[in-house]
Amino acid sequence: LKEKTEDLKRERQLAEDLLHQMLPKSVAKQLRKSQKVEAENYDQVTIFFSDIVGFTSIAASCTPLQVVEMLNNLYVCFDSRIESYDVYKVETIGDAYMVVSGLPERNGTKHADEIAKMSLDLVAAVRQVVIPHMPMGRLQLRAGIHTGPCVAGVVGYKMPRYCLFGDTVNTASRMESTSLPQKIHISSATYDALLTDDAYEIEMRGEIEVKGKGKMKTYWLLGNKNYSVQN
């Protein structure tokens, strides 16, 4: 009976660990108690999007297994890196990687700083990811960041997902799609949020045309004066 109880505890722990990798702990706790998870409004969060430069052409020259192995290597690397920061990984869609800071646990004004440090880390880390079928090749990341309000909540009953909604999500995605290889493209809202401690090296990009937004003044995040990325 003691052995069975221990086995049951281990199985339960495995199930909980898996659930916590798919949903925030606070949300998973409510779902386990069969409680309805209320959507929340967040005044300020910072959202990061990235994708792989030329992924479509890379994938076209690979077998399905090679594509999966390549992305798995990349995401295992990223997932281990982001644990050092106060961020929450929202989801991956193909080669796109989405991370947020400031929710589900609010962290005051730290969210922009946490995402900025993390993004510098990931852009450096992607160069070290080995592509099994292209040992001499190296992946390049295109990244974008935006700061603003958003709504977050659980959508769906089967395979429920914790989703973010609002213009901040769309703008962060636009920052990524208009970025350049191995560059971190930030909006003026994120720029203003990072100015508070004068710790970052930032270069103005200028005004660019952003689909659905018109002209926006944007910047390149180049580095942090007090923080060096660990290889």
Side-chain angles (χ1 to χ4, degrees), residues 1 3 7 10 20 45 47 58 74-75 82 88 108 123 126 154 221 226 229:
L1 186 62
E3 282 179 12
D7 287 344
R10 275 195 296 272
H20 292 159
V45 301
I47 298 173
I58 293 171
L74 179 69
Y75 293 153
I82 69 171
Y88 175 72
V123 167
V126 72
V154 176
L221 174 62
N226 312 317
V229 172

Coordinates of all heavy atoms in Angstrom, one line a residue, residues 1 3 7 10 20 45 47 58 74-75 82 88 108 123 126 154 221 226 229:
L1 N 0.8 -1.2 0.0 CA 0.0 0.0 0.0 C 0.9 1.3 0.0 O 0.6 2.2 -0.7 CB -0.9 0.0 1.2 CG -1.9 1.1 1.3 CD1 -2.9 1.0 0.1 CD2 -2.7 1.1 2.6
E3 N 3.9 1.5 -1.2 CA 4.5 1.6 -2.6 C 3.5 2.2 -3.5 O 3.9 3.1 -4.3 CB 5.0 0.3 -3.0 CG 6.3 -0.2 -2.4 CD 6.7 -1.6 -2.9 OE1 6.1 -2.0 -3.9 OE2 7.7 -2.1 -2.3
D7 N 3.9 5.7 -5.6 CA 3.7 5.7 -7.1 C 2.7 6.8 -7.5 O 2.8 7.5 -8.5 CB 3.3 4.4 -7.6 CG 4.4 3.4 -7.6 OD1 5.6 3.8 -7.4 OD2 4.2 2.1 -7.7
R10 N 4.0 10.2 -7.2 CA 4.9 10.6 -8.3 C 4.1 10.9 -9.5 O 4.5 11.9 -10.2 CB 5.9 9.4 -8.5 CG 7.1 9.5 -7.6 CD 8.2 8.5 -8.1 NE 7.8 7.1 -8.1 CZ 7.9 6.3 -7.0 NH1 8.5 6.8 -5.9 NH2 7.5 5.1 -7.0
H20 N 1.8 22.7 -15.3 CA 2.4 24.0 -15.0 C 3.3 24.5 -16.2 O 3.6 25.6 -16.3 CB 3.2 23.9 -13.7 CG 2.4 23.8 -12.5 ND1 2.9 23.3 -11.3 CD2 1.1 24.0 -12.3 CE1 1.9 23.3 -10.4 NE2 0.8 23.7 -11.0
V45 N 2.4 45.6 -19.6 CA 3.2 44.4 -19.7 C 4.1 44.7 -20.9 O 3.9 45.6 -21.6 CB 2.3 43.2 -20.0 CG1 1.3 42.9 -18.9 CG2 1.6 43.2 -21.3
I47 N 5.8 42.6 -24.2 CA 5.7 41.4 -25.0 C 6.8 41.3 -26.0 O 7.2 42.2 -26.7 CB 4.3 41.3 -25.7 CG1 3.2 41.4 -24.7 CG2 4.2 40.1 -26.6 CD1 1.8 41.5 -25.2
I58 N 14.6 27.2 -45.2 CA 15.3 26.2 -44.5 C 14.5 25.0 -44.3 O 14.9 23.9 -44.6 CB 15.7 26.7 -43.1 CG1 16.7 27.9 -43.2 CG2 16.3 25.6 -42.2 CD1 17.0 28.6 -41.8
L74 N 16.4 24.5 -30.7 CA 16.3 25.9 -30.5 C 15.4 26.2 -29.2 O 15.8 27.0 -28.4 CB 15.6 26.6 -31.7 CG 15.4 28.1 -31.6 CD1 16.7 28.8 -31.7 CD2 14.5 28.6 -32.7
Y75 N 14.3 25.6 -29.1 CA 13.4 25.9 -28.0 C 13.9 25.3 -26.7 O 13.6 25.9 -25.6 CB 12.0 25.4 -28.3 CG 11.3 26.1 -29.5 CD1 10.3 25.5 -30.3 CD2 11.7 27.4 -29.7 CE1 9.7 26.2 -31.3 CE2 11.1 28.1 -30.8 CZ 10.1 27.5 -31.6 OH 9.5 28.2 -32.6
I82 N 15.3 31.4 -20.5 CA 14.3 32.3 -20.0 C 14.0 32.1 -18.5 O 13.4 32.9 -17.9 CB 13.0 32.3 -20.8 CG1 12.2 31.0 -20.7 CG2 13.3 32.7 -22.3 CD1 10.9 31.1 -21.3
Y88 N 7.1 35.0 -18.7 CA 6.2 33.8 -18.9 C 6.2 33.5 -20.4 O 5.9 34.4 -21.2 CB 4.8 34.1 -18.4 CG 3.9 32.9 -18.7 CD1 4.0 31.7 -18.0 CD2 2.9 33.1 -19.7 CE1 3.1 30.6 -18.3 CE2 2.0 32.0 -20.0 CZ 2.2 30.8 -19.3 OH 1.3 29.8 -19.6
G108 N 5.4 45.2 -11.2 CA 5.6 46.7 -11.1 C 6.1 47.2 -12.5 O 5.5 47.0 -13.5
V123 N 19.1 36.4 -28.5 CA 19.7 36.7 -29.8 C 21.2 36.2 -29.8 O 21.7 35.8 -30.8 CB 19.7 38.3 -30.0 CG1 20.6 38.7 -31.2 CG2 18.2 38.7 -30.4
V126 N 21.1 32.1 -29.9 CA 20.6 31.4 -31.2 C 21.8 31.1 -32.1 O 21.8 30.1 -32.8 CB 19.6 32.3 -31.9 CG1 20.3 33.5 -32.6 CG2 18.9 31.5 -33.0
V154 N -8.0 32.3 -20.0 CA -8.0 31.0 -20.5 C -9.1 30.8 -21.6 O -10.2 31.2 -21.3 CB -8.2 29.9 -19.4 CG1 -8.3 28.5 -20.0 CG2 -7.0 30.0 -18.4
L221 N 17.5 47.9 -29.9 CA 18.1 47.6 -28.6 C 19.4 46.9 -28.9 O 19.4 45.8 -29.5 CB 17.1 46.7 -27.8 CG 17.7 46.2 -26.5 CD1 18.0 47.3 -25.5 CD2 16.7 45.2 -25.8
N226 N 25.3 47.3 -18.0 CA 25.7 46.7 -16.8 C 25.5 45.2 -16.8 O 25.7 44.5 -15.7 CB 24.8 47.3 -15.6 CG 24.7 48.8 -15.6 OD1 25.8 49.4 -15.8 ND2 23.6 49.3 -15.5
V229 N 25.8 39.1 -21.5 CA 25.2 37.8 -21.8 C 26.2 36.7 -21.6 O 27.3 36.7 -22.0 CB 24.6 37.7 -23.3 CG1 24.2 36.3 -23.6 CG2 23.5 38.7 -23.4

